[in-house]
Amino acid sequence: MLALVVLSICGILSLFIGFVNKKLLLPFALIASLLGLGALAIEWQGILPFFSAFNNNMLSMNTAANLFSAVILLSAFFIFPFVKRFAQFHESQAAEYYSIMLFSLVGALMMCSYEHLLMLFLGVETLSISAYVLAGCDKRNLLSNEAALKYFLTGSFSTGIFLFGVAMLYGATGSFSLSGIQASIAAGAAETHLLAVGVLLLAVALLFKVSAAPFHFWTPDVYEGAPTVFTAFMSTVVKTASFAAFYKLFAGTFGSISAEWQPLLMAVSLLTLFVGNVTAVFQNSFKRMLAYSSISHAGYLLLALCALGTHSQYSILFYTLAYSLASIAAFGVLISTLGNHRVETYDDFNGLMERNPFLAIVLAVAMLSLAGIPLTAGFMGKLFVFMNVLEQHTIIILVFAVLMSAMGIYYYFRVLFAAFFKKASPSQSSALSLDASVQWSLAILTLLTLALGIAPGLFSRLFF
């Protein structure tokens, strides 16, 4: 709860700081995210209920909520340095972007700590509305306008489905609180048909948020049209918050009826893996490839959600952290290499090793991690997920997931081939310069990716 207050206050203050001195905006945003992490550390131990209403706790900060929130704030910390470059290029007011992002973090943290469906709805909308605005903030670009419109319209349908599911759930159990719903299901007092419809509709709404197939159709266009820095924000912060909400609702509240929804989510996860990986193979745009890559990674996370066990929570947490670190690094290299140009292909990375060896190494580590190559965090994340699947499901599902992971190596290595083995064109021969904050962000992301791949036990020893 303290983190929500801190981020809300910082979001308001950032607007006023923009009028005083624009140079203070980036340091203030970084400090705000660190203050949020500090607030989480203060409330780290135990289960702390907050904001009681209608005889129910609306929010609760426990270990799982704090861990997901920490991943979200850490992701935002590494994304903030890239906002400065975007604002300078477009000669726009950076205070607006930082403020919207800080407010969106409030919604993301609410999605991690909700104990009442009303708070989940408020968190989803706070995060979603901010994402709609960020996707369309490049007002002079038609692709950005199209991305915002598509995201808003499809998101509105998702919200309607979500609310309809909440209504069905209330009709089945007579409660909006997670504890009340869980108690009603455990006692056998829930109306079976309404409960089934409610669970199905909530699953559809959340599957849209995590961009799982067949609800992924908005993702490639939105990721491509939105400014790259905010695409990175959506692909990490929004996805992590959505999976935190997904896991809390289905593994916790609906855990006792997992036999009813697991087959459906398992089918969706396999379809998501197939669609994401196969379609990514045929992409020539780097951003669209990362969009379909994001879809495929949602499939792996859904596999971990379906394989409910003692280590499912740890697997999802580690995977979201590994994916966020590598994804931000990949988008960061794209921003640093191409600036704010809208059209990009793999050929734009030609000769990157000659032009800027630092960016080439960062890109290599990011691509290797996303592909799941050993000694990277992505490899350990996939290993944990596959171990969970092997414990709970048949070997056929595991083999299919491994084959899809192997397919991903092809399109990730296409980028590395261009960066390390192709020659740069005359127009690409100039050296690339980076801000100090961007260099530090990319360097720390790379080191963390390697550290978690080499010594993944550090994560568990520090937080569990």
Side-chain angles (χ1 to χ4, degrees), residues 214-420:
F215 311 103
H216 67 288
F217 45 85
W218 60 274
T219 309
D221 292 338
V222 173
Y223 277 33
E224 184 181 34
T228 304
V229 60
F230 302 128
T231 302
F233 188 81
M234 288 186 292
S235 69
T236 54
V237 171
V238 175
K239 189 175 289 290
T240 301
S242 300
F243 266 105
F246 213 139
Y247 178 80
K248 186 179 183 70
L249 185 61
F250 278 76
T253 307
F254 301 146
S256 59
I257 56 170
S258 59
E260 305 296 328
W261 53 262
Q262 271 185 337
L264 175 64
L265 287 189
M266 179 58 70
V268 170
S269 64
L270 297 178
L271 177 63
T272 302
L273 287 174
F274 181 79
V275 171
N277 284 289
V278 172
T279 314
V281 169
F282 299 97
Q283 301 304 310
N284 291 317
S285 165
F286 184 70
K287 284 180 73 174
R288 289 187 75 88
M289 182 275 284
L290 288 180
Y292 285 107
S293 166
S294 174
I295 294 169
S296 70
H297 286 288
Y300 296 116
L301 286 165
L302 284 173
L303 280 180
L305 178 62
C306 292
L308 290 180
T310 55
H311 302 293
S312 295
Q313 177 182 306
Y314 178 79
S315 300
I316 294 175
L317 273 166
F318 193 95
Y319 199 103
T320 54
L321 176 59
Y323 167 76
S324 296
L325 294 175
S327 185
I328 295 170
F331 281 113
V333 172
L334 177 63
I335 295 170
S336 302
T337 304
L338 301 180
N340 293 279
H341 300 296
R342 304 307 308 179
V343 180
E344 83 294 324
T345 64
Y346 295 121
D347 291 337
D348 291 309
F349 292 100
N350 288 354
L352 183 61
M353 186 63 186
E354 299 175 0
R355 299 157 61 199
N356 192 310
F358 172 73
L359 286 179
I361 293 172
V362 172
L363 180 65
V365 173
M367 292 295 102
L368 292 174
S369 183
L370 290 173
I373 302 302
L375 300 183
T376 63
F379 170 77
M380 297 308 302
K382 286 185 178 179
L383 179 62
F384 293 148
V385 170
F386 292 163
M387 290 172 63
N388 277 356
V389 172
L390 188 59
E391 291 176 359
Q392 303 292 329
H393 297 284
T394 63
I395 191 68
I396 297 176
I397 294 175
L398 178 61
V399 170
F400 179 82
V402 171
L403 289 175
M404 291 298 101
S405 180
M407 184 180 296
I409 295 175
Y410 169 76
Y411 53 82
Y412 290 126
F413 274 52
R414 285 183 65 187
V415 184
L416 299 184
F417 182 79
F420 286 88

